[in-house]
């Protein structure tokens, strides 16, 4: 799977700003064989882990979270930028290179007894993943694992979510 993913993932230099090499997953979504195998691989890994909810992050995380939650027979829970979710929310700020950003979750999206898988496309600095982990915990649920298609190892994102387990399909 790693080989097929690496072949399909496109490096876009200087996007969205200079110095960033953007890992574009649209060719993975476009290749129906690779996309199916990606979701099937995650499905196989998490089938036995009794996941009750897949929590995914706007916007590319949604594209992965929806088919995986469906496959696992688990709930699908969106985490969104402030002001997008209509119900009562918990909010978590996190640091960016310059300044801060924030994410929100519905307060009743998950709760005690839930075994949550957090899913996103890329683990970079871990700011996003750290914030999502805190949101899930604010709701009273347990984070079983965090999964990513891509992990950028040099940015040490997994240290931000310690002691939680991280699974990444490919590393750069
Ligand atoms: P971070 O909070 O630094 O771990 O960044 C993670 C979020 O930013 C993820 O939701 C990714 O979609 C996005 N992201 C960060 N770096 C990249 C990259 N090099 N290519 C594509 N997406 C990225």
């Amino acid at each position: 799977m790693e080989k097929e993913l690496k072949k399909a993932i496109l490096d876009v230099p200087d996007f969205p700003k200079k110095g960033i090499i953007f890992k574009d997953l649209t060719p993975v979504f476009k290749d129906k064989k690779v996309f199916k195998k990606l979701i099937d691989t995650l499905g196989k890994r998490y089938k036995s882990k009794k996941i009750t909810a897949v929590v995914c992050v706007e916007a590319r995380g949604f594209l992965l979270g929806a088919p995986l939650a469906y496959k696992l027979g688990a709930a699908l829970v969106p985490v969104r930028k402030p002001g997008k979710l209509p119900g009562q929310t918990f909010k978590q700020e996190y640091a960016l290179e310059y300044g801060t950003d924030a994410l929100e979750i519905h307060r009743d999206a998950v709760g005690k007894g839930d075994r949550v898988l957090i899913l996103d496309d890329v683990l970079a600095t871990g700011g996003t993943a750290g914030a999502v982990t805190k949101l899930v915990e604010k709701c009273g649920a347990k984070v079983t694992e965090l999964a990513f298609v891509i992990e950028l190892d040099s940015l040490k994102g997994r240290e931000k979510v310690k002691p939680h387990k991280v699974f990444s399909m490919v590393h750069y």
Side-chain angles (χ1 to χ4, degrees), residues 20-23 60 94 120-129 152:
I20 306 260
I21 300 173
F22 187 82
K23 297 288 184 193
R60 288 181 297 273
Y94 60 100
D120 202 1
D121 61 340
V122 177
L123 176 62
T125 65
T128 307
L152 306 177

Side-chain angles (χ1 to χ4, degrees), residues 60-129:
R60 288 181 297 273
F62 292 175
L63 303 175
L64 299 161
L68 184 61
Y70 179 82
K71 200 168 181 76
L72 294 174
L76 174 66
V77 175
V79 166
R80 301 205 64 181
K81 297 279 185 197
K84 300 272 190 187
L85 289 170
Q88 286 233 315
T89 57
F90 288 120
K91 184 175 183 169
Q92 182 65 49
E93 292 201 345
Y94 60 100
L96 295 176
E97 201 179 347
Y98 303 103
T100 60
D101 211 339
L103 289 167
E104 290 184 343
I105 192 169
H106 272 146
R107 288 182 179 225
D108 61 357
V110 285
K112 204 167 168 275
D114 272 312
R115 294 172 52 82
V116 169
L117 172 69
I118 294 173
L119 178 65
D120 202 1
D121 61 340
V122 177
L123 176 62
T125 65
T128 307

Side-chain angles (χ1 to χ4, degrees), residues 105-163:
I105 192 169
H106 272 146
R107 288 182 179 225
D108 61 357
V110 285
K112 204 167 168 275
D114 272 312
R115 294 172 52 82
V116 169
L117 172 69
I118 294 173
L119 178 65
D120 202 1
D121 61 340
V122 177
L123 176 62
T125 65
T128 307
V132 178
T133 303
K134 286 188 188 131
L135 286 172
V136 169
E137 287 171 344
K138 275 183 187 175
C139 291
K142 180 180 159 34
V143 175
T144 300
E145 194 161 290
L146 295 93
F148 303 89
V149 178
I150 298 166
E151 180 170 352
L152 306 177
D153 292 346
S154 63
L155 297 175
K156 299 190 166 72
R158 60 172 65 217
E159 285 179 14
K160 290 249 175 68
V161 296
K162 268 186 177 166

